[in-house]
Amino acid sequence: MNLAIVDDNADFRHLVRRVAEPMGWRVDEYADGALFKARLGDPIAPDLVFLDVLMQEEDGIEVIAGMAQHGFAAPVVIVSSADPTYANIMFELATAADVTIREMVRKPLPLEKLRHLLTLPA
């Protein structure tokens, strides 16, 4: 199981990695959306993506657009500590582009919720 964490918050990426790896996930971290988008055509695609809404280089909305262009099939968990309006816009755009959103969650993310998201089937 491959997990991609696309978030400019290093502490959040580290937390998700520390929880996910013992659960059997292989984890790739991306500090911004541009780095992740550059890897969308790779042969080993993630089975699940944790995607932040607001990032420096390219935000989650731009990443969703790239996912739609590549026919990206893995489900996405939208994570944000920003105004929920942005996450809602991202959800609407993803839905319109046939990108599967598994859930939208707010940071800080409780450990129980994180574990739950990582145990759901991809």
Side-chain angles (χ1 to χ4, degrees):
M1 297 182 303
N2 297 311
L3 173 66
I5 308 164
V6 187
D7 197 305
D8 58 352
N9 182 318
D11 291 336
F12 181 76
R13 292 192 317 267
H14 180 71
L15 169 68
V16 175
R17 176 183 287 280
R18 288 189 57 209
V19 173
E21 286 181 335
M23 296 177 71
W25 289 91
R26 186 179 90 48
V27 178
D28 291 314
E29 296 182 33
Y30 303 91
D32 65 61
L35 293 171
F36 179 68
K37 279 178 58 178
R39 304 287 308 267
L40 282 174
D42 285 0
I44 299 176
D47 299 299
L48 178 64
V49 177
F50 277 63
L51 179 59
D52 191 15
V53 175
L54 298 177
M55 294 176 280
Q56 292 292 327
E57 287 299 315
E58 292 194 27
D59 63 24
I61 291 171
E62 293 168 301
V63 173
I64 290 291
M67 294 168 120
Q69 285 179 324
H70 281 85
F72 191 81
V76 175
V77 175
I78 297 173
V79 293
S80 181
S81 57
D83 181 334
T85 303
Y86 296 111
N88 290 333
I89 292 168
M90 202 163 121
F91 178 83
E92 294 299 325
L93 289 171
T95 301
D98 289 328
V99 174
T100 303
I101 301 299
R102 175 175 285 169
E103 196 159 339
M104 295 188 329
V105 295
R106 298 226 0 116
K107 294 183 219 171
L109 187 59
L111 285 176
E112 306 82 43
K113 181 67 173 178
L114 176 55
R115 286 186 186 104
H116 173 72
L117 290 167
L118 293 167
T119 57
L120 291 175

